[in-house]
Amino acid sequence: MMRDMAQTGRHNPQDADAPVLPRLGGRRSSFRERVADALRAALIAGELRPGEVYSAPSLAARFGVSATPVREAMLDLAKEGLVDTVPNKGFRVTAVSDKQLDEYTQIRALIEVPTVVELARTADRVSLEALRPAAREIVAAAAAGDLIAYVEADTRFHLGLLALAGNAHLVEVVADLRGRSRLYGLTALLEAGRLLASAEEHLELLDALLERNEKAVHEVMTRHLGHVRSLWAARD
């Protein structure tokens, strides 16, 4: 299920044709940061499993980039507590407890639901419509069964939406919570043929926002975060 981070071969800092990697949240970032974003997406999607040890060369080969930016990116993720360094072997993906997942869900609900409901009153239509391509990418990724692309587009959509509230610290907090999460149930949802329906909630939310329907926005956001917690709980 893992897709290449690079379609143009291994990364050379001097090469003008360096791979184009995702820029989560729409921010400008370095190649190292984009490698970290892609690895983070793989962690969130459950493509990299808790307890497993991964070496930088094996991950580099898997993603289609050189080992150096992967090793540097994994060190960044280690500082965030997403992986542990295993001397002479690589990096072990850390596990997340049910209690932690419940806490993440509670915090996200407290932040995201009222913030997005408020956007139904304050966000301009042009800014909201600008999020539609990301919402469509989520649906397309679900249809294609590309879980990492799903997570990348989902992150861009949600962080981009929250950014419309004009509070950069709020966006950083949610981005951190998302990075610490694991959507183990994405694969099960995909295999059950229900991932597409979940993906389409993003378009439903966007339409409710454009209609200035605060009640519908609250309902969709609450339902969506409930689905996310269900995904977290669906472990092998």
Side-chain angles (χ1 to χ4, degrees), residues 95-115:
V96 184
S97 70
D98 286 336
K99 183 176 185 296
Q100 287 173 307
L101 294 177
D102 286 334
E103 291 172 348
Y104 296 160
T105 305
Q106 182 181 30
I107 296 169
R108 285 189 61 186
L110 288 171
I111 294 174
E112 293 186 62
V113 173
T115 299

Side-chain angles (χ1 to χ4, degrees), residues 52-199:
E52 293 290 328
V53 176
Y54 299 91
S55 70
S58 67
L59 286 173
R62 191 170 181 177
F63 281 108
V65 296
S66 62
T68 297
V70 170
R71 186 176 293 106
E72 293 173 342
M74 291 297 276
L75 289 172
D76 290 339
L77 298 185
K79 293 177 183 177
E80 298 174 22
L82 301 180
V83 298
D84 293 323
T85 302
V86 181
N88 303 317
K89 291 186 178 181
F91 302 88
R92 179 182 291 109
V93 178
T94 59
V96 184
S97 70
D98 286 336
K99 183 176 185 296
Q100 287 173 307
L101 294 177
D102 286 334
E103 291 172 348
Y104 296 160
T105 305
Q106 182 181 30
I107 296 169
R108 285 189 61 186
L110 288 171
I111 294 174
E112 293 186 62
V113 173
T115 299
V116 176
V117 169
E118 177 69 17
L119 290 175
R121 296 191 293 271
T122 62
D124 64 87
R125 297 187 64 85
V126 173
S127 297
L128 289 171
E129 281 291 358
L131 294 168
R132 194 171 294 278
R136 287 173 174 160
E137 283 183 48
I138 297 169
V139 175
D146 190 335
L147 300 185
I148 297 180
Y150 183 99
V151 170
E152 291 168 356
D154 182 73
T155 301
R156 288 201 310 276
F157 177 87
H158 283 284
L159 297 188
L161 179 60
L162 292 172
L164 298 182
N167 188 329
H169 294 294
L170 181 151
V171 176
E172 289 177 5
V173 169
V174 174
D176 179 69
L177 290 170
R178 292 175 63 91
R180 295 176 183 277
S181 309
R182 307 286 193 275
L183 299 182
Y184 300 116
L186 277 178
T187 299
L189 203 63
L190 175 65
E191 292 173 349
R194 293 186 289 132
L195 185 60
L196 187 58
S198 179

